[in-house]
């Protein structure tokens, strides 16, 4: 199946519910998505980047200080996209947030963290996804410069290991949050309060169904 025969996603789902404790006092009075960078809230840069790559519908999954994000984004965002929000408990992991938002999800969507920005070469990402035809495809920073500790191992375009604790030997690369996912994958989520990645990725890896686009371009976090 070619890229022309499969409809590309236009919905991007951004997880923005965490407390952002690693940012210390910067998130004492605001969610990390609204921490200013270059004179604008970080999420503005992210949404503008997604819009410029053809994503005109944004779903925000919120928790911590959700009201501030809703007030900032509204429903008709001035950057020219349609925004929806789903808010769950502040202590919910991303798996529960996605479960709560299931009815709002398209059959296929782009997943992104609210605190990472990467200059996404969308056509390359989409072409690899269509060619591989796996239910999920993540973006992995090669981490050749050891920018941070690795949490994945990739071989032949597939993720072979995913370790959020970054403790396994032989890890090489960092999963940076950009991913093409299918809504049906939520059926793999356990009932426990776990992250989307911890709940789904290991099962897909066992089936050799989690693809990976490896990039050498630094992401900004």
């Amino acid at each position: 199946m070619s890229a022309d025969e499969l409809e590309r996603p236009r919905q991007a789902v951004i997880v923005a519910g965490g407390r952002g404790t690693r940012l210390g006092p910067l998130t004492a009075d605001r969610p990390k998505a609204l921490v200013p960078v270059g004179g604008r809230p970080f999420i503005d840069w992210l949404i503008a980047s997604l819009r410029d790559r053809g994503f005109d519908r944004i779903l925000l999954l919120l928790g911590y200080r959700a009201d501030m994000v809703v007030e900032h984004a509204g429903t008709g965002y001035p950057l020219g996209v349609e925004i929806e929000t789903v808010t769950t408990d502040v202590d919910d992991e991303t798996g529960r947030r996605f479960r709560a938002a299931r009815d709002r999800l398209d059959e296929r969507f782009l997943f992104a963290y609210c605190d990472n920005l990467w200059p996404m070469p969308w056509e390359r990402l989409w072409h690899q996804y269509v060619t591989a035809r796996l239910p999920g495809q993540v973006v992995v920073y090669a981490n050749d410069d050891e920018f941070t500790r690795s949490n994945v191992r990739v071989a032949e375009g597939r993720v072979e290991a995913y370790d959020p604790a970054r403790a396994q030997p032989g890890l090489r690369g960092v999963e940076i949050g950009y991913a093409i996912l299918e809504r049906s994958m939520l059926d793999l989520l356990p009932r426990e309060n776990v992250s989307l990645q911890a709940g789904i990725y290991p099962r897909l890896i066992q089936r050799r169904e989690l693809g990976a686009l490896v990039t050498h371009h630094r992401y900004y976090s």
Side-chain angles (χ1 to χ4, degrees), residues 36-133:
V37 175
R40 299 170 65 185
F42 188 84
I43 198 169
D44 284 11
W45 298 107
L46 174 59
I47 290 175
S49 174
L50 295 173
R51 177 206 61 200
D52 291 347
R53 287 156 178 82
F55 293 91
D56 52 15
R57 296 171 49 245
I58 308 294
L59 177 62
L60 301 176
L61 305 187
L62 308 175
Y64 177 66
R65 295 190 176 270
D67 57 326
M68 296 182 67
V69 181
V70 172
E71 181 180 0
H72 175 73
T75 56
Y77 202 78
L79 285 175
V81 297
E82 176 187 338
I83 288 183
E84 291 186 285
T85 62
V86 173
T87 301
T88 59
D89 189 84
V90 67
D91 291 321
D92 282 346
E93 295 286 349
T94 52
R96 282 190 176 171
R97 298 193 198 284
F98 269 91
R99 192 186 299 281
R102 181 168 189 146
D103 292 344
R104 306 278 193 93
L105 298 174
D106 288 355
E107 178 183 359
R108 185 176 298 104
F109 57 89
L110 182 79
F111 164 65
Y113 297 152
C114 74
D115 53 2
N116 280 357
L117 182 63
W118 175 61
M120 176 174 56
W122 169 248
E123 295 303 328
R124 178 186 167 205
L125 181 63
W126 180 239
H127 175 77
Q128 182 165 316
Y129 171 81
V130 172
T131 301
R133 283 308 293 129

Side-chain angles (χ1 to χ4, degrees), residues 159-178:
V159 179
E160 288 191 333
Y162 169 69
D163 178 15
R166 307 173 190 250
Q168 287 187 30
L171 298 175
R172 184 65 180 270
V174 182
E175 182 267 321
I176 67 172
Y178 284 75

